[in-house]
Coordinates of all heavy atoms in Angstrom, one line a residue:
M1 N 13.7 -32.8 16.7 CA 12.4 -33.3 17.2 C 12.4 -33.4 18.7 O 13.3 -33.9 19.2 CB 12.1 -34.6 16.5 CG 11.7 -34.5 15.1 SD 10.8 -36.0 14.6 CE 11.1 -35.9 12.9
G2 N 11.3 -33.0 19.3 CA 11.1 -33.2 20.7 C 10.3 -34.4 21.0 O 9.8 -35.1 20.2
Q3 N 10.2 -34.8 22.3 CA 9.5 -35.9 22.7 C 8.4 -35.5 23.6 O 8.6 -34.8 24.6 CB 10.4 -37.0 23.4 CG 9.7 -38.3 23.5 CD 10.8 -39.3 23.9 OE1 11.9 -39.1 24.4 NE2 10.4 -40.6 23.7
N4 N 7.1 -35.9 23.4 CA 6.0 -35.5 24.2 C 5.9 -36.5 25.3 O 6.6 -37.6 25.4 CB 4.7 -35.4 23.4 CG 4.2 -36.6 22.8 OD1 4.6 -37.7 23.2 ND2 3.3 -36.5 21.8
G5 N 5.0 -36.3 26.2 CA 4.8 -37.2 27.4 C 4.4 -38.6 27.1 O 4.7 -39.5 28.0
G6 N 3.9 -38.9 26.0 CA 3.4 -40.3 25.7 C 4.6 -41.1 25.0 O 4.3 -42.2 24.6
G7 N 5.7 -40.6 25.0 CA 6.9 -41.4 24.4 C 7.0 -41.3 22.9 O 7.8 -41.9 22.3
R8 N 6.0 -40.6 22.3 CA 6.1 -40.4 20.8 C 6.9 -39.2 20.5 O 6.9 -38.2 21.3 CB 4.7 -40.2 20.3 CG 3.8 -41.5 20.5 CD 2.5 -41.2 19.8 NE 2.0 -39.9 20.0 CZ 0.9 -39.5 20.5 NH1 0.0 -40.4 20.8 NH2 0.5 -38.3 20.6
L9 N 7.5 -39.2 19.4 CA 8.3 -38.0 19.0 C 7.3 -36.9 18.4 O 6.4 -37.3 17.7 CB 9.3 -38.3 17.9 CG 10.5 -39.2 18.4 CD1 11.4 -39.5 17.2 CD2 11.3 -38.4 19.4
A10 N 7.5 -35.7 18.8 CA 6.7 -34.6 18.3 C 7.5 -33.8 17.4 O 8.7 -33.5 17.7 CB 6.2 -33.8 19.5
M11 N 6.9 -33.3 16.3 CA 7.7 -32.5 15.4 C 7.8 -31.1 15.9 O 6.8 -30.5 16.3 CB 7.0 -32.5 14.0 CG 7.8 -31.8 12.9 SD 7.0 -31.9 11.3 CE 7.1 -33.6 11.0
M12 N 9.0 -30.5 15.8 CA 9.2 -29.1 16.2 C 9.7 -28.4 14.9 O 10.5 -28.8 14.2 CB 10.3 -29.0 17.2 CG 9.8 -29.4 18.6 SD 10.8 -28.8 19.9 CE 10.4 -27.1 20.0
E13 N 9.1 -27.2 14.7 CA 9.4 -26.4 13.6 C 10.7 -25.6 14.0 O 10.8 -25.2 15.2 CB 8.3 -25.4 13.3 CG 7.0 -26.2 12.8 CD 6.2 -26.7 13.9 OE1 6.4 -26.3 15.1 OE2 5.3 -27.5 13.7
T14 N 11.5 -25.3 13.1 CA 12.7 -24.5 13.4 C 12.9 -23.4 12.4 O 12.5 -23.5 11.2 CB 14.0 -25.4 13.4 OG1 14.1 -26.0 12.1 CG2 13.9 -26.5 14.4
T15 N 13.7 -22.4 12.8 CA 14.0 -21.3 11.9 C 15.3 -21.8 11.2 O 15.8 -22.8 11.4 CB 14.3 -20.1 12.7 OG1 15.4 -20.3 13.6 CG2 13.0 -19.6 13.4
D16 N 15.9 -20.9 10.4 CA 17.1 -21.2 9.7 C 18.2 -21.5 10.7 O 19.1 -22.3 10.4 CB 17.5 -20.1 8.8 CG 16.6 -20.0 7.5 OD1 16.0 -21.0 7.2 OD2 16.5 -18.9 6.9
S17 N 18.1 -20.9 11.9 CA 19.2 -21.1 12.8 C 19.0 -22.3 13.7 O 19.8 -22.7 14.5 CB 19.3 -19.9 13.8 OG 18.0 -19.7 14.5
G18 N 17.8 -23.0 13.5 CA 17.5 -24.2 14.2 C 16.7 -24.0 15.4 O 16.3 -24.9 16.1
A19 N 16.3 -22.7 15.7 CA 15.5 -22.5 16.9 C 14.0 -22.7 16.5 O 13.6 -22.5 15.4 CB 15.7 -21.0 17.3
A20 N 13.2 -23.2 17.5 CA 11.8 -23.4 17.2 C 11.0 -22.1 17.2 O 11.4 -21.1 17.8 CB 11.2 -24.3 18.3
F21 N 10.0 -22.0 16.3 CA 9.2 -20.8 16.3 C 7.8 -21.2 16.7 O 7.3 -22.2 16.3 CB 9.2 -20.1 14.9 CG 9.1 -20.9 13.7 CD1 7.8 -21.0 13.1 CD2 10.1 -21.6 13.2 CE1 7.6 -21.8 12.0 CE2 9.9 -22.4 12.0 CZ 8.6 -22.4 11.4
A22 N 7.2 -20.3 17.5 CA 5.9 -20.6 18.1 C 4.8 -20.4 17.2 O 4.8 -19.5 16.3 CB 5.8 -19.7 19.3
G23 N 3.7 -21.1 17.3 CA 2.5 -20.9 16.6 C 2.4 -21.5 15.2 O 1.5 -21.2 14.4
E24 N 3.5 -22.2 14.8 CA 3.6 -22.7 13.4 C 3.5 -24.2 13.4 O 4.1 -24.8 14.3 CB 4.9 -22.2 12.8 CG 5.0 -20.8 12.5 CD 4.1 -20.3 11.4 OE1 3.7 -21.0 10.5 OE2 3.7 -19.1 11.5
R25 N 2.7 -24.8 12.5 CA 2.7 -26.2 12.3 C 3.5 -26.7 11.1 O 3.8 -27.9 11.0 CB 1.2 -26.7 12.1 CG 0.4 -26.4 13.3 CD -0.9 -27.0 13.2 NE -1.5 -26.8 11.9 CZ -2.8 -26.7 11.6 NH1 -3.7 -26.7 12.5 NH2 -3.2 -26.5 10.4
R26 N 3.9 -25.8 10.2 CA 4.7 -26.2 9.1 C 6.1 -26.4 9.5 O 6.6 -25.7 10.4 CB 4.5 -25.2 7.9 CG 5.0 -23.9 8.2 CD 4.7 -23.0 7.0 NE 3.3 -22.6 6.8 CZ 2.8 -21.5 7.4 NH1 3.5 -20.7 8.1 NH2 1.5 -21.3 7.2
I27 N 6.8 -27.2 8.7 CA 8.2 -27.4 9.0 C 9.2 -26.3 8.6 O 10.1 -26.0 9.3 CB 8.7 -28.7 8.3 CG1 7.9 -29.9 8.8 CG2 10.2 -28.9 8.4 CD1 8.1 -31.2 8.1
E28 N 8.8 -25.5 7.6 CA 9.7 -24.4 7.1 C 8.9 -23.1 7.2 O 7.7 -23.1 7.1 CB 10.2 -24.7 5.7 CG 9.0 -24.8 4.7 CD 9.5 -25.2 3.4 OE1 10.7 -25.5 3.2 OE2 8.7 -25.4 2.5
R29 N 9.7 -22.1 7.5 CA 9.1 -20.8 7.5 C 8.8 -20.3 6.1 O 9.5 -20.7 5.1 CB 10.0 -19.7 8.1 CG 9.8 -19.6 9.6 CD 10.3 -18.3 10.0 NE 10.3 -18.3 11.4 CZ 9.6 -17.5 12.2 NH1 8.9 -16.6 11.6 NH2 9.6 -17.6 13.4
R30 N 7.8 -19.5 5.9 CA 7.5 -18.9 4.6 C 8.0 -17.5 4.6 O 8.0 -16.8 5.6 CB 6.0 -18.9 4.4 CG 5.5 -20.3 4.2 CD 4.0 -20.3 3.8 NE 3.6 -21.7 3.6 CZ 2.3 -22.0 3.5 NH1 1.4 -21.1 3.6 NH2 2.0 -23.3 3.2
R31 N 8.4 -17.1 3.4 CA 8.8 -15.7 3.2 C 7.6 -14.8 2.8 O 6.8 -15.2 2.0 CB 9.8 -15.7 1.9 CG 11.1 -16.4 2.2 CD 11.9 -16.5 0.9 NE 11.2 -17.2 -0.2 CZ 11.0 -18.5 -0.4 NH1 11.5 -19.3 0.5 NH2 10.4 -19.0 -1.4
R32 N 7.6 -13.6 3.4 CA 6.5 -12.7 3.2 C 6.7 -12.1 1.7 O 7.8 -11.7 1.4 CB 6.5 -11.6 4.2 CG 6.0 -12.0 5.5 CD 5.9 -10.8 6.4 NE 5.6 -11.2 7.7 CZ 4.6 -10.7 8.4 NH1 3.9 -9.6 7.9 NH2 4.3 -11.1 9.6
V33 N 5.7 -12.1 0.9 CA 5.8 -11.6 -0.4 C 4.4 -10.9 -0.7 O 3.5 -11.0 0.1 CB 6.0 -12.6 -1.5 CG1 7.4 -13.3 -1.3 CG2 4.9 -13.7 -1.5
L34 N 4.3 -10.2 -1.7 CA 3.0 -9.6 -2.1 C 3.0 -9.6 -3.7 O 3.6 -8.7 -4.3 CB 2.9 -8.2 -1.6 CG 1.5 -7.6 -1.5 CD1 0.6 -8.4 -0.7 CD2 1.6 -6.2 -0.9
R35 N 2.5 -10.7 -4.2 CA 2.6 -10.9 -5.7 C 1.2 -11.3 -6.2 O 0.5 -12.0 -5.6 CB 3.5 -12.1 -6.0 CG 4.9 -11.8 -5.7 CD 5.8 -13.0 -6.3 NE 7.1 -12.8 -5.8 CZ 7.9 -13.7 -5.4 NH1 7.5 -14.9 -5.4 NH2 9.1 -13.4 -5.1
G36 N 0.9 -10.7 -7.4 CA -0.4 -11.2 -8.0 C -0.2 -12.6 -8.6 O 0.9 -13.0 -9.0
A37 N -1.3 -13.3 -8.6 CA -1.2 -14.7 -9.1 C -2.6 -15.0 -9.7 O -3.6 -14.3 -9.5 CB -1.0 -15.7 -8.0
T38 N -2.6 -16.1 -10.6 CA -3.7 -16.6 -11.2 C -3.9 -18.1 -10.9 O -2.9 -18.8 -11.0 CB -3.6 -16.4 -12.7 OG1 -3.4 -15.0 -13.0 CG2 -4.9 -16.8 -13.4
L39 N -5.1 -18.5 -10.6 CA -5.4 -19.9 -10.4 C -6.1 -20.3 -11.7 O -7.1 -19.7 -12.1 CB -6.4 -20.1 -9.2 CG -5.8 -20.0 -7.8 CD1 -5.3 -18.7 -7.5 CD2 -6.9 -20.4 -6.8
R40 N -5.6 -21.4 -12.2 CA -6.2 -22.1 -13.4 C -6.7 -23.4 -13.0 O -6.0 -24.2 -12.4 CB -5.2 -22.1 -14.6 CG -4.8 -20.8 -15.1 CD -4.1 -20.9 -16.4 NE -2.9 -21.7 -16.3 CZ -1.8 -21.5 -17.0 NH1 -1.7 -20.5 -17.8 NH2 -0.7 -22.3 -16.8
F41 N -8.0 -23.7 -13.5 CA -8.5 -25.0 -13.2 C -9.6 -25.3 -14.2 O -9.8 -24.5 -15.1 CB -9.2 -25.0 -11.8 CG -10.1 -23.9 -11.5 CD1 -11.5 -24.0 -11.7 CD2 -9.6 -22.7 -11.1 CE1 -12.3 -22.9 -11.4 CE2 -10.4 -21.6 -10.8 CZ -11.8 -21.7 -11.0
N42 N -10.2 -26.5 -14.2 CA -11.2 -27.0 -15.2 C -10.6 -26.9 -16.6 O -11.2 -26.3 -17.5 CB -12.5 -26.1 -15.1 CG -13.3 -26.5 -13.9 OD1 -13.1 -27.5 -13.3 ND2 -14.2 -25.6 -13.6
G43 N -9.4 -27.4 -16.7 CA -8.7 -27.5 -18.0 C -8.4 -26.1 -18.6 O -8.3 -25.9 -19.8
G44 N -8.2 -25.1 -17.8 CA -7.9 -23.8 -18.2 C -9.1 -22.9 -18.4 O -9.0 -21.7 -18.7
F45 N -10.3 -23.5 -18.3 CA -11.5 -22.7 -18.5 C -11.9 -21.9 -17.3 O -12.7 -20.9 -17.4 CB -12.7 -23.6 -19.0 CG -12.6 -24.2 -20.3 CD1 -12.2 -25.5 -20.5 CD2 -12.8 -23.4 -21.4 CE1 -12.0 -26.0 -21.8 CE2 -12.6 -23.9 -22.7 CZ -12.2 -25.2 -22.9
G46 N -11.4 -22.3 -16.1 CA -11.7 -21.5 -14.9 C -10.4 -20.8 -14.5 O -9.4 -21.3 -14.5
V47 N -10.6 -19.5 -14.2 CA -9.5 -18.6 -13.9 C -10.0 -17.7 -12.7 O -11.0 -17.1 -12.8 CB -9.0 -17.8 -15.0 CG1 -7.9 -16.9 -14.7 CG2 -8.6 -18.7 -16.2
V48 N -9.1 -17.6 -11.7 CA -9.4 -16.7 -10.6 C -8.1 -15.9 -10.2 O -7.0 -16.5 -10.2 CB -9.9 -17.5 -9.3 CG1 -10.1 -16.6 -8.1 CG2 -11.2 -18.2 -9.6
G49 N -8.2 -14.7 -9.9 CA -7.1 -13.9 -9.5 C -6.9 -14.0 -8.0 O -7.9 -14.2 -7.2
A50 N -5.7 -13.9 -7.5 CA -5.3 -14.1 -6.1 C -4.1 -13.2 -5.8 O -3.4 -12.7 -6.8 CB -5.0 -15.5 -5.8
L51 N -3.8 -13.1 -4.6 CA -2.6 -12.4 -4.1 C -1.8 -13.4 -3.2 O -2.4 -13.9 -2.3 CB -3.0 -11.2 -3.3 CG -1.9 -10.2 -2.8 CD1 -1.2 -9.6 -4.0 CD2 -2.5 -9.2 -1.9
V52 N -0.6 -13.6 -3.6 CA 0.3 -14.5 -2.7 C 0.8 -13.6 -1.6 O 1.5 -12.6 -1.8 CB 1.5 -15.0 -3.6 CG1 2.4 -15.9 -2.7 CG2 1.0 -15.8 -4.8
R53 N 0.5 -14.0 -0.4 CA 0.9 -13.2 0.8 C 2.3 -13.7 1.4 O 3.0 -13.0 2.0 CB -0.1 -13.2 1.9 CG -1.4 -12.5 1.4 CD -2.5 -12.6 2.4 NE -2.1 -12.1 3.7 CZ -2.3 -10.8 4.0 NH1 -2.9 -10.0 3.2 NH2 -2.0 -10.4 5.2
N54 N 2.4 -15.0 1.4 CA 3.7 -15.6 1.8 C 3.9 -16.9 1.1 O 3.0 -17.5 0.5 CB 3.8 -15.8 3.3 CG 2.9 -16.8 3.9 OD1 2.7 -17.9 3.4 ND2 2.1 -16.3 4.9
E55 N 5.2 -17.4 1.0 CA 5.5 -18.6 0.2 C 6.8 -19.2 0.8 O 7.6 -18.6 1.4 CB 5.7 -18.3 -1.2 CG 6.9 -17.4 -1.6 CD 7.0 -17.1 -3.0 OE1 6.3 -17.6 -3.8 OE2 7.9 -16.3 -3.3
S56 N 6.8 -20.5 0.4 CA 8.0 -21.3 0.7 C 8.3 -22.2 -0.5 O 7.5 -22.2 -1.4 CB 7.9 -22.1 2.0 OG 7.0 -23.2 1.8
E57 N 9.2 -23.1 -0.4 CA 9.5 -24.0 -1.5 C 8.3 -25.0 -1.7 O 8.0 -25.4 -2.8 CB 10.8 -24.8 -1.2 CG 11.2 -25.7 -2.3 CD 12.4 -26.5 -2.0 OE1 13.3 -26.0 -1.2 OE2 12.6 -27.6 -2.5
H58 N 7.6 -25.3 -0.6 CA 6.6 -26.3 -0.6 C 5.2 -25.8 -0.5 O 4.2 -26.6 -0.6 CB 6.8 -27.3 0.5 CG 8.2 -28.0 0.3 ND1 9.3 -27.7 1.1 CD2 8.5 -29.0 -0.5 CE1 10.3 -28.4 0.7 NE2 9.9 -29.2 -0.3
G59 N 4.9 -24.5 -0.3 CA 3.6 -24.0 -0.2 C 3.5 -22.5 -0.2 O 4.5 -21.8 -0.3
A60 N 2.2 -22.0 0.0 CA 2.0 -20.6 0.0 C 0.6 -20.3 0.6 O -0.2 -21.2 0.8 CB 1.9 -20.1 -1.5
Q61 N 0.5 -19.0 1.0 CA -0.7 -18.5 1.6 C -1.3 -17.6 0.5 O -0.6 -16.6 0.1 CB -0.6 -17.8 2.9 CG -1.9 -17.3 3.5 CD -1.6 -16.5 4.7 OE1 -1.2 -15.4 4.7 NE2 -2.0 -17.2 5.8
L62 N -2.5 -17.7 0.1 CA -3.1 -16.9 -0.9 C -4.3 -16.1 -0.3 O -5.0 -16.6 0.6 CB -3.7 -17.8 -2.1 CG -2.7 -18.8 -2.7 CD1 -3.4 -19.6 -3.7 CD2 -1.5 -18.1 -3.3
S63 N -4.5 -14.9 -0.8 CA -5.6 -14.1 -0.3 C -6.6 -13.8 -1.4 O -6.1 -13.5 -2.6 CB -5.0 -12.7 0.2 OG -5.9 -11.9 0.6
F64 N -7.8 -13.8 -1.1 CA -8.9 -13.5 -2.0 C -10.0 -12.6 -1.4 O -10.0 -12.5 -0.2 CB -9.7 -14.9 -2.4 CG -8.8 -15.9 -2.9 CD1 -8.1 -16.8 -2.1 CD2 -8.7 -16.1 -4.3 CE1 -7.3 -17.8 -2.6 CE2 -7.9 -17.0 -4.8 CZ -7.2 -17.9 -4.0
G65 N -10.8 -12.0 -2.2 CA -11.9 -11.2 -1.7 C -12.9 -12.2 -1.0 O -13.4 -11.9 0.0
D66 N -13.1 -13.3 -1.6 CA -13.9 -14.4 -1.1 C -13.4 -15.7 -1.6 O -13.3 -16.0 -2.7 CB -15.4 -14.2 -1.6 CG -16.3 -15.3 -1.1 OD1 -15.9 -16.1 -0.2 OD2 -17.5 -15.3 -1.5
A67 N -12.9 -16.6 -0.6 CA -12.2 -17.8 -1.0 C -13.1 -19.0 -1.1 O -12.7 -20.1 -1.3 CB -11.1 -18.1 0.1
T68 N -14.4 -18.8 -0.9 CA -15.3 -20.0 -0.9 C -15.4 -20.7 -2.2 O -15.6 -21.9 -2.3 CB -16.8 -19.6 -0.5 OG1 -17.2 -18.5 -1.4 CG2 -16.8 -19.1 1.0
G69 N -15.1 -20.0 -3.3 CA -15.2 -20.7 -4.7 C -13.9 -21.3 -5.1 O -13.8 -21.8 -6.2
V70 N -12.9 -21.2 -4.3 CA -11.6 -21.7 -4.7 C -11.6 -23.2 -4.7 O -12.0 -23.9 -3.7 CB -10.4 -21.2 -3.8 CG1 -9.1 -21.9 -4.1 CG2 -10.4 -19.7 -3.9
P71 N -11.3 -23.9 -5.9 CA -11.3 -25.4 -5.9 C -10.2 -26.0 -5.1 O -9.3 -25.4 -4.7 CB -11.1 -25.7 -7.4 CG -10.4 -24.5 -7.9 CD -10.8 -23.3 -7.1
Q72 N -10.4 -27.3 -4.8 CA -9.5 -28.1 -3.9 C -8.1 -28.2 -4.6 O -7.1 -28.2 -3.9 CB -10.0 -29.4 -3.6 CG -9.2 -30.2 -2.5 CD -9.2 -29.5 -1.2 OE1 -10.1 -28.7 -0.8 NE2 -8.2 -29.7 -0.4
G73 N -8.0 -28.3 -5.9 CA -6.8 -28.4 -6.6 C -6.8 -27.5 -7.9 O -7.8 -27.3 -8.5
F74 N -5.6 -26.9 -8.2 CA -5.6 -26.0 -9.3 C -4.1 -25.8 -9.7 O -3.2 -26.3 -9.0 CB -6.2 -24.6 -9.0 CG -5.7 -24.0 -7.6 CD1 -4.6 -23.3 -7.6 CD2 -6.4 -24.3 -6.5 CE1 -4.1 -22.8 -6.4 CE2 -6.0 -23.8 -5.3 CZ -4.9 -23.0 -5.3
E75 N -3.9 -25.1 -10.7 CA -2.5 -24.6 -11.1 C -2.4 -23.2 -10.8 O -3.2 -22.3 -11.1 CB -2.4 -24.8 -12.7 CG -1.0 -24.6 -13.2 CD -1.0 -24.9 -14.7 OE1 -1.7 -24.3 -15.4 OE2 -0.1 -25.7 -15.1
L76 N -1.3 -22.9 -10.0 CA -1.0 -21.5 -9.5 C 0.0 -20.9 -10.4 O 1.1 -21.5 -10.5 CB -0.6 -21.5 -8.1 CG -0.2 -20.2 -7.4 CD1 -1.5 -19.4 -7.3 CD2 0.4 -20.4 -6.1
V77 N -0.3 -19.8 -11.0 CA 0.6 -19.1 -11.9 C 1.1 -17.8 -11.3 O 0.2 -17.0 -11.0 CB 0.0 -18.9 -13.3 CG1 1.0 -18.2 -14.3 CG2 -0.6 -20.1 -13.9
V78 N 2.4 -17.7 -11.1 CA 3.0 -16.5 -10.5 C 4.2 -16.1 -11.4 O 5.1 -16.9 -11.6 CB 3.4 -16.7 -9.0 CG1 4.0 -15.5 -8.5 CG2 2.3 -17.3 -8.2
N79 N 4.2 -14.9 -11.9 CA 5.2 -14.4 -12.7 C 5.5 -15.3 -13.9 O 6.6 -15.6 -14.3 CB 6.6 -14.2 -11.9 CG 6.4 -13.1 -10.9 OD1 5.7 -12.2 -11.1 ND2 7.2 -13.3 -9.8
G80 N 4.5 -15.9 -14.5 CA 4.6 -16.8 -15.7 C 4.9 -18.2 -15.3 O 4.9 -19.0 -16.2
A81 N 5.3 -18.5 -14.1 CA 5.6 -19.9 -13.7 C 4.4 -20.6 -13.1 O 3.8 -20.0 -12.2 CB 6.8 -19.9 -12.7
A82 N 4.1 -21.8 -13.6 CA 2.9 -22.5 -13.1 C 3.3 -23.6 -12.2 O 4.3 -24.4 -12.5 CB 2.1 -23.0 -14.3
R83 N 2.6 -23.9 -11.1 CA 2.8 -25.0 -10.2 C 1.5 -25.6 -9.8 O 0.6 -24.8 -9.5 CB 3.6 -24.6 -8.9 CG 5.0 -24.0 -9.2 CD 5.7 -23.6 -8.0 NE 6.2 -24.8 -7.3 CZ 7.0 -24.8 -6.2 NH1 7.2 -23.6 -5.7 NH2 7.4 -25.9 -5.7
A84 N 1.4 -26.9 -9.8 CA 0.2 -27.5 -9.3 C 0.1 -27.4 -7.7 O 1.1 -27.5 -7.0 CB 0.3 -29.0 -9.6
A85 N -1.1 -27.1 -7.2 CA -1.3 -26.9 -5.8 C -2.5 -27.5 -5.3 O -3.5 -27.6 -6.1 CB -1.3 -25.3 -5.6
L86 N -2.5 -27.9 -4.1 CA -3.7 -28.5 -3.4 C -4.0 -27.6 -2.1 O -3.1 -27.2 -1.4 CB -3.4 -29.9 -2.9 CG -3.3 -31.0 -4.0 CD1 -2.9 -32.3 -3.4 CD2 -4.6 -31.1 -4.8
V87 N -5.3 -27.4 -1.9 CA -5.6 -26.6 -0.7 C -5.5 -27.5 0.5 O -5.9 -28.6 0.6 CB -7.1 -26.2 -0.8 CG1 -7.6 -25.5 0.5 CG2 -7.3 -25.2 -1.9
R88 N -4.7 -27.0 1.5 CA -4.5 -27.6 2.8 C -5.4 -27.1 3.9 O -5.7 -27.8 4.9 CB -3.0 -27.5 3.2 CG -2.1 -28.1 2.2 CD -2.3 -29.5 1.9 NE -1.9 -30.3 3.1 CZ -2.1 -31.6 3.3 NH1 -2.8 -32.3 2.5 NH2 -1.8 -32.2 4.4
W89 N -5.8 -25.8 3.8 CA -6.7 -25.2 4.8 C -7.3 -24.0 4.1 O -6.8 -23.4 3.1 CB -6.0 -24.8 6.1 CG -4.9 -23.8 5.9 CD1 -3.5 -24.1 5.8 CD2 -5.0 -22.4 5.9 NE1 -2.8 -22.9 5.6 CE2 -3.7 -21.9 5.7 CE3 -6.0 -21.5 6.0 CZ2 -3.4 -20.5 5.7 CZ3 -5.8 -20.1 5.9 CH2 -4.5 -19.6 5.8
R90 N -8.4 -23.5 4.6 CA -9.0 -22.3 4.1 C -9.8 -21.6 5.1 O -10.3 -22.2 6.1 CB -9.9 -22.6 2.9 CG -11.1 -23.4 3.2 CD -12.0 -23.6 1.9 NE -11.4 -24.5 1.0 CZ -11.4 -24.3 -0.3 NH1 -12.0 -23.2 -0.8 NH2 -10.9 -25.1 -1.1
S91 N -10.0 -20.3 5.0 CA -10.8 -19.5 5.8 C -11.7 -18.6 4.8 O -11.6 -18.9 3.6 CB -10.0 -18.5 6.7 OG -9.3 -17.5 6.0
A92 N -12.4 -17.6 5.3 CA -13.3 -16.9 4.3 C -12.5 -16.2 3.3 O -13.0 -16.0 2.1 CB -14.1 -15.9 5.2
R93 N -11.3 -15.7 3.6 CA -10.5 -14.9 2.6 C -9.1 -15.4 2.4 O -8.5 -15.0 1.4 CB -10.3 -13.4 3.2 CG -11.7 -12.8 3.4 CD -11.5 -11.4 3.9 NE -11.1 -10.6 2.7 CZ -11.7 -9.4 2.4 NH1 -12.5 -8.9 3.2 NH2 -11.3 -8.8 1.3
L94 N -8.6 -16.4 3.1 CA -7.3 -16.9 2.9 C -7.3 -18.4 2.6 O -8.2 -19.1 3.1 CB -6.5 -16.7 4.2 CG -6.3 -15.3 4.6 CD1 -5.5 -15.2 6.0 CD2 -5.5 -14.5 3.6
V95 N -6.3 -18.9 1.9 CA -6.2 -20.3 1.5 C -4.7 -20.6 1.6 O -3.8 -19.9 1.1 CB -6.7 -20.6 0.1 CG1 -6.4 -22.0 -0.3 CG2 -8.2 -20.3 0.0
G96 N -4.4 -21.7 2.3 CA -3.1 -22.3 2.4 C -2.9 -23.4 1.4 O -3.8 -24.3 1.4
V97 N -1.9 -23.4 0.6 CA -1.8 -24.4 -0.4 C -0.4 -25.2 -0.3 O 0.5 -24.6 0.3 CB -1.9 -23.9 -1.8 CG1 -3.3 -23.3 -2.0 CG2 -0.8 -22.9 -2.2
Q98 N -0.4 -26.4 -0.7 CA 0.8 -27.2 -0.8 C 1.1 -27.4 -2.2 O 0.2 -27.8 -3.0 CB 0.6 -28.5 0.0 CG 1.8 -29.4 -0.1 CD 1.6 -30.7 0.5 OE1 0.4 -31.1 1.0 NE2 2.6 -31.5 0.7
F99 N 2.4 -27.2 -2.6 CA 2.7 -27.5 -4.0 C 2.9 -29.0 -4.2 O 3.5 -29.6 -3.3 CB 4.0 -26.7 -4.4 CG 3.8 -25.2 -4.3 CD1 4.8 -24.4 -3.7 CD2 2.7 -24.6 -4.9 CE1 4.6 -23.1 -3.6 CE2 2.6 -23.2 -4.8 CZ 3.5 -22.4 -4.1
V100 N 2.5 -29.5 -5.3 CA 2.6 -30.9 -5.6 C 3.3 -31.1 -6.9 O 3.3 -30.2 -7.8 CB 1.2 -31.7 -5.6 CG1 0.6 -31.6 -4.2 CG2 0.3 -31.0 -6.6
A101 N 4.0 -32.3 -7.1 CA 4.7 -32.6 -8.3 C 3.8 -32.8 -9.5 O 2.7 -33.1 -9.4 CB 5.6 -33.7 -8.0

């Protein structure tokens, strides 16, 4: 962690080697992938297809034709494995999610 001018500690992101990487706010790097996924919500009655573009142990970036209808929380199913996820940020076509327990 570095220290900013106000005396507070500022979080620095690092690579596996411990070096900081520019332009990232997350603590860990995500691996680039290209996998089909399904979002399940509303008790399984709502289903939307997505593409996982990158992922880490704690989150992922998802791609959609139009992300405006993606709910705030859902179950993300990739290769048969389901994980609960919450939207942390969104744009017109991309959504960043955090996996929750």
